[in-house]
C-alpha cells in the first residue's frame, strides 16, 4: 500500500497509476461488463419506471432505437456503440454549436465553477478561500485540513448534509470535477473543486474508521442533486459522480468499494440526478398524466396525477413531486 495525502491527512490506499484516477471517460462497456452491472442503475428514470430517454436528435441517424423519445438501453451504448457517449469536449464543433443553439448547452470551465463554489462555501463558513485561493484562471490548493466547529451550525457533519442542487447540470461540472468540462483536461484528486469533491474531502479528513467513512460518504452523495434534459449528458453526469465516489473511496479505504457499496451509491445517483424539462417539471417528451395504478416508492397509488418528476429526500425517507417542492418555495436548496 501507499499513502496518499488528501487535504493534509495521510490515508492508506492501494497503489494505482495516477492515469487511472485522472481518466476522463467512463466506459459504459466496462460498467456493463462488471460482475455486478452498474449501468442499468445509471440508466433508470425513477419517475417513469423505465430508463432515461435520448431527448436529442443527434443520434437518430443510427435507427429508430435512437430517436429522441426512445429509452437509452444497455445495448444501445455498448458493443458496436461502446464509444457513442462522449463528453462535450469530444463532440464535433458542429454538434457542440447545435446543442448550444438548441438547448443552451454551454459547459462552464473548472476555474469559473471553482470561483462560484467558493462563494457558496464563503457564505456557509463565514470566511473566504476555505478550500483554495483563486488565481486568474486557476487556483492554489489548500492542503491543511478544513476547520469546523465542534458543535453548533457549522460542524463537518452539518456541512456534509447541506443539500446542493445544480440546475441543468449537463455533465455535472459544479458537482464533480474529474476533468475540466470546457477543455477535457483531467484534474488530480487533491485539486478537485466540485461540491461533492469538497464534501468527500471533508469526510476523508474527519472519519475515524472505514465504516464511518462509508456512512458519511454516502450521505454526501445523498446531499447533492442535479437535473438535465438531454439523456447523454445526464448519463455522463451520473457516471462522473459514481467514478468520483470510487476515486475517493480507493484513496481513503484499503481497497476498492464492494459490490453492495457501489450498487447503493448508483441507486442514490439514479434518484438525485434526474431527467427533467424545467419548463414542465416532468421528464422530457412525456404525456401530462401517468398511467392508472402507478405505484410510488411507498406503494401508494397515483391515479391520473400530473407526472411531475419525483425527488427523494433521504433524511426524511420520502419522495416529493418536483412541482410540489417548487410551489412550496423549494425544499432542495
Amino acid at each position: 500500500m501507499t499513502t496518499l495525502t488528501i487535504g493534509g491527512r495521510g490515508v492508506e490506499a492501494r497503489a494505482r497509476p495516477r492515469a487511472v484516477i485522472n481518466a476522463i471517460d467512463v466506459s459504459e462497456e466496462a460498467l456493463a461488463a462488471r460482475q455486478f452491472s452498474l449501468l442499468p442503475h445509471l440508466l433508470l428514470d425513477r419517475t417513469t419506471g423505465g430508463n432515461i430517454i435520448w431527448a436529442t436528435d443527434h443520434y437518430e441517424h443510427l435507427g429508430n432505437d435512437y430517436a429522441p423519445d426512445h429509452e437509452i438501453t444497455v445495448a444501445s451504448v455498448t458493443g458496436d456503440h461502446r464509444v457513442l457517449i462522449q463528453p462535450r469536449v469530444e463532440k464535433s464543433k458542429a454538434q457542440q454549436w447545435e446543442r448550444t443553439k438548441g438547448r443552451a448547452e454551454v459547459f462552464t470551465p473548472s476555474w469559473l465553477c471553482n470561483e462560484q463554489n467558493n462563494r457558496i462555501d464563503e457564505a456557509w463558513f463565514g470566511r473566504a478561500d476555505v478550500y483554495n485561493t483563486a488565481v486568474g484562471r486557476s487556483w492554489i490548493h489548500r492542503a491543511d485540513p478544513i476547520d469546523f466547529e465542534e458543535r453548533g451550525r457549522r460542524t463537518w457533519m452539518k456541512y456534509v448534509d447541506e443539500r446542493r442542487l445544480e440546475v441543468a447540470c449537463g455533465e455535472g461540472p459544479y458537482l464533480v470535477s474529474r476533468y475540466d468540462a470546457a477543455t477535457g483536461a483531467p484534474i488530480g484528486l487533491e485539486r478537485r473543486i466540485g461540491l461533492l469533491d469538497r464534501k468527500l474531502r471533508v469526510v476523508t479528513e474527519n472519519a475515524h474508521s472505514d465504516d464511518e467513512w462509508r456512512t458519511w460518504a454516502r450521505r454526501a452523495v445523498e446531499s447533492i442533486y442535479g437535473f438535465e434534459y438531454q439523456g447523454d449528458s445526464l448519463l455522463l453526469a451520473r457516471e462522473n459522480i459514481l467514478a468520483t465516489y470510487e476515486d475517493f473511496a480507493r484513496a481513503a479505504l484499503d481497497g476498492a468499494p464492494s459490490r453492495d457499496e457501489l450498487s447503493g451509491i448508483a441507486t442514490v445517483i439514479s434518484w438525485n440526478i434526474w431527467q427533467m424539462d424545467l419548463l414542465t417539471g416532468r421528464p422530457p417528451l412525456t404525456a401530462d398524466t401517468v398511467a392508472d395504478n402507478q405505484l410510488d416508492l411507498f406503494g401508494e397509488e397515483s391515479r391520473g396525477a400530473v407526472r411531475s418528476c419525483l425527488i427523494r429526500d433521504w433524511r426524511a425517507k420520502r419522495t416529493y413531486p418536483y412541482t410540489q417542492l417548487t410551489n412550496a418555495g423549494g425544499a432542495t436548496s
Side-chain angles (χ1 to χ4, degrees):
M1 292 189 296
T2 186
T3 299
L4 176 66
T5 300
I6 302 178
R9 175 190 176 192
V11 290
E12 295 296 323
R14 294 188 185 278
R16 76 188 184 116
R18 172 64 66 182
V20 175
I21 291 179
N22 282 346
I24 291 176
D25 192 30
V26 177
S27 167
E28 288 80 31
E29 189 86 354
L31 287 170
R34 287 192 181 192
Q35 181 181 0
F36 51 101
S37 178
L38 294 171
L39 188 54
H41 291 278
L42 298 180
L43 290 173
L44 283 175
D45 187 314
R46 294 291 179 173
T47 298
T48 66
N51 284 0
I52 60 176
I53 65 172
W54 292 101
T56 175
D57 59 7
H58 288 139
Y59 303 97
E60 61 182 357
H61 63 280
L62 296 172
N64 189 55
D65 288 342
Y66 296 84
D69 60 349
H70 275 57
E71 294 183 358
I72 304 177
T73 65
V74 171
S76 66
V77 293
T78 57
D80 291 342
H81 298 292
R82 61 186 176 277
V83 295
L84 183 64
I85 305 296
Q86 295 290 335
R88 175 182 168 85
V89 71
E90 299 295 336
K91 294 180 173 72
S92 70
K93 294 297 182 182
Q95 190 175 121
Q96 288 182 27
W97 168 243
E98 288 176 10
R99 293 166 72 104
T100 298
K101 183 173 62 175
R103 288 289 170 194
E105 182 186 78
V106 178
F107 279 49
T108 312
S110 59
W111 66 267
L112 186 52
C113 291
N114 178 59
E115 291 199 17
Q116 291 177 306
N117 285 351
N118 281 353
R119 295 290 183 89
I120 294 171
D121 282 326
E122 182 177 350
W124 194 89
F125 283 93
R127 63 182 190 271
D129 302 334
V130 175
Y131 289 89
N132 59 67
T133 301
V135 179
R137 296 193 172 188
S138 187
W139 58 91
I140 299 174
H141 168 71
R142 291 188 178 275
D144 294 335
I146 308 302
D147 289 328
F148 290 91
E149 298 174 354
E150 291 188 9
R151 57 183 57 85
R153 295 189 303 110
R154 294 190 176 91
T155 65
W156 73 267
M157 294 178 178
K158 294 284 189 183
Y159 180 81
V160 171
D161 273 343
E162 192 78 9
R163 287 176 291 188
R164 299 285 185 244
L165 168 67
E166 182 176 358
V167 176
C169 66
E171 295 168 22
Y174 285 92
L175 300 176
V176 291
S177 59
R178 299 177 56 248
Y179 56 88
D180 188 313
T183 67
I187 299 174
L189 191 67
E190 70 284 350
R191 297 192 72 249
R192 296 185 186 176
I193 52 81
L195 296 170
L196 179 60
D197 298 316
R198 297 173 187 226
K199 289 170 179 279
L200 292 175
R201 168 182 170 173
V202 166
V203 173
T204 300
E205 290 175 352
N206 290 277
H208 293 97
S209 68
D210 289 357
D211 285 344
E212 186 178 24
W213 190 93
R214 292 186 181 96
T215 295
W216 283 95
R218 175 169 174 140
R219 287 176 75 110
V221 178
E222 290 172 349
S223 75
I224 56 103
Y225 295 82
F227 63 82
E228 168 59 30
Y229 188 96
Q230 298 177 123
D232 56 350
S233 293
L234 180 72
L235 179 57
L236 285 168
R238 289 177 168 187
E239 291 173 347
N240 282 330
I241 292 169
L242 182 65
T244 293
Y245 177 90
E246 190 165 8
D247 287 345
F248 276 91
R250 284 179 178 271
L253 307 175
D254 186 16
S258 69
R259 166 182 177 170
D260 289 344
E261 185 177 348
L262 286 179
S263 294
I265 295 300
T267 296
V268 174
I269 292 169
S270 70
W271 275 102
N272 284 27
I273 311 300
W274 74 95
Q275 188 169 32
M276 185 175 74
D277 182 341
L278 180 58
L279 297 179
T280 66
R282 300 192 298 269
L285 309 178
T286 56
D288 288 351
T289 58
V290 295
D292 286 348
N293 300 321
Q294 177 174 318
L295 301 182
D296 70 10
L297 182 68
F298 304 101
E300 298 172 351
E301 289 188 339
S302 176
R303 296 180 181 273
V306 173
R307 175 180 269 158
S308 170
C309 288
L310 298 177
I311 313 301
R312 179 72 171 159
D313 182 341
W314 298 94
R315 303 283 70 82
K317 298 182 180 180
R318 291 186 58 189
T319 56
Y320 298 89
Y322 173 81
T323 50
Q324 178 183 329
L325 296 180
T326 55
N327 290 339
T332 56
S333 60

